[in-house]
């Protein structure tokens, strides 16, 4: 008998659902809860905190990891970083904030927000290469972070309230982008518009010889 070995053919990895709508929804809800508190709309305590650790934190980090699987470096970086932001902010409130004075806490939050505003600045520029719905999220988030770090450094309640109002707008933009991603992924054609990239996508450079 002759034994014939067949060459193994590489298997195509299964398609993965787009994790962006999930990541955007997690970001939107947690941003909304914290922004409502900053805007002084709520009469409660810190309803945002648990969601910062679970939904905005863990779920958004998972969305970022799945974006790595989709080879989407922008989505992976954005979701993982802001998932880490929410987890870190939640841990700060739980572990550190109670041991500080109000002025120290405001200063700490100011530096945290300043650091993420720096990160958000270049992500906002690169969002021009994604679509206008995503760009709206990063533009409003940029304004939110800048106003909030100014408000915290100056311990101005009115400035923080303004940051809360714009944070609510940020959440609405993120919810819209999430809703568009969900329904457009279910339909054979786009149902909710997200807009084209603001500028012509950057062309890849020439390959080295």
């Amino acid at each position: 008998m002759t034994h014939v070995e067949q060459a193994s053919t590489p298997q195509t990895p299964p398609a993965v659902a787009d994790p962006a709508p999930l990541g955007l929804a997690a970001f939107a809800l947690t941003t909304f809860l914290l922004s409502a508190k900053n805007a002084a709309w709520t009469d409660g305590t810190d309803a945002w905190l648990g969601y910062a650790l679970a939904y905005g934190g863990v779920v958004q980090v998972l969305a970022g990891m799945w974006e790595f699987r989709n080879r989407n470096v922008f989505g992976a970086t954005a979701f993982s970083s802001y998932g880490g932001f929410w987890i870190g902010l939640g841990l700060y409130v739980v572990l550190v904030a109670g041991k500080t004075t109000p002025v120290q806490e405001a200063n700490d939050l100011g530096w945290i927000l300043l650091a993420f505003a720096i990160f958000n600045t270049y992500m906002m520029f690169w969002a021009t290469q994604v679509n206008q719905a995503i760009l709206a999220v990063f533009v409003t988030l940029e304004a939110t972070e800048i106003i909030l770090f100014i408000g915290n450094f100056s311990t101005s309640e009115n400035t923080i309230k303004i940051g809360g109002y714009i944070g609510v707008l940020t959440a609405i933009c993120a919810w819209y982008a999430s809703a568009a991603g969900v329904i457009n992924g279910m339909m054979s054609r786009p149902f909710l518009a997200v807009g084209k990239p603001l500028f012509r996508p950057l062309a890849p450079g020439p390959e080295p010889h």
Side-chain angles (χ1 to χ4, degrees), residues 7-207:
S8 60
T9 57
Q11 297 292 322
T12 302
V16 177
D18 183 8
L22 174 62
L24 286 163
F27 174 80
L29 186 141
T30 315
T31 300
F32 176 79
L33 290 176
L34 179 56
S35 297
K37 178 180 173 62
N38 286 335
W41 289 352
T42 68
D43 295 322
T45 53
D46 286 311
W48 64 275
L49 184 54
Y51 291 87
L53 295 171
Y55 195 36
V58 172
V59 170
Q60 204 174 171
V61 168
L62 289 173
M65 296 301 102
W66 288 319
E67 286 287 30
F68 277 115
R69 172 65 178 79
N70 282 347
R71 299 181 182 274
N72 181 352
V73 65
F74 180 89
T77 303
F79 290 136
S80 302
S81 295
Y82 276 106
F85 166 80
W86 286 117
I87 294 173
L89 185 61
L91 290 175
Y92 171 81
V93 171
V94 171
L95 301 176
V96 180
K99 304 174 184 177
T100 64
T101 66
V103 173
Q104 289 174 324
E105 181 180 348
N107 186 262
D108 289 344
L109 294 175
W111 281 106
I112 292 168
L113 290 161
L114 172 59
F116 269 89
I118 294 170
F119 165 73
N120 196 78
T121 298
Y122 67 80
M123 295 299 286
M124 177 181 65
F125 285 123
W126 307 155
T128 61
Q129 304 296 302
V130 183
N131 60 53
Q132 293 172 27
I134 296 299
L135 178 60
V137 175
F138 280 89
V139 169
T140 53
L141 180 56
E142 182 81 358
T144 301
E145 290 173 341
I146 291 174
I147 293 171
L148 285 178
F149 81 64
I150 292 173
N152 278 280
F153 281 142
S154 62
T155 61
S156 169
E157 291 185 6
N158 288 332
T159 304
I160 292 173
K161 284 182 180 180
I162 294 171
Y165 302 151
I166 302 178
V168 170
L169 178 60
T170 303
I172 292 171
C173 291
W175 264 322
Y176 176 84
S178 172
V182 172
I183 190 62
N184 292 345
M186 296 168 62
M187 307 284 283
S188 58
R189 64 178 63 183
F191 182 79
L192 288 178
V194 294
K196 296 180 180 179
L198 190 59
F199 302 115
R200 183 185 298 274
L202 299 172
E207 295 183 2

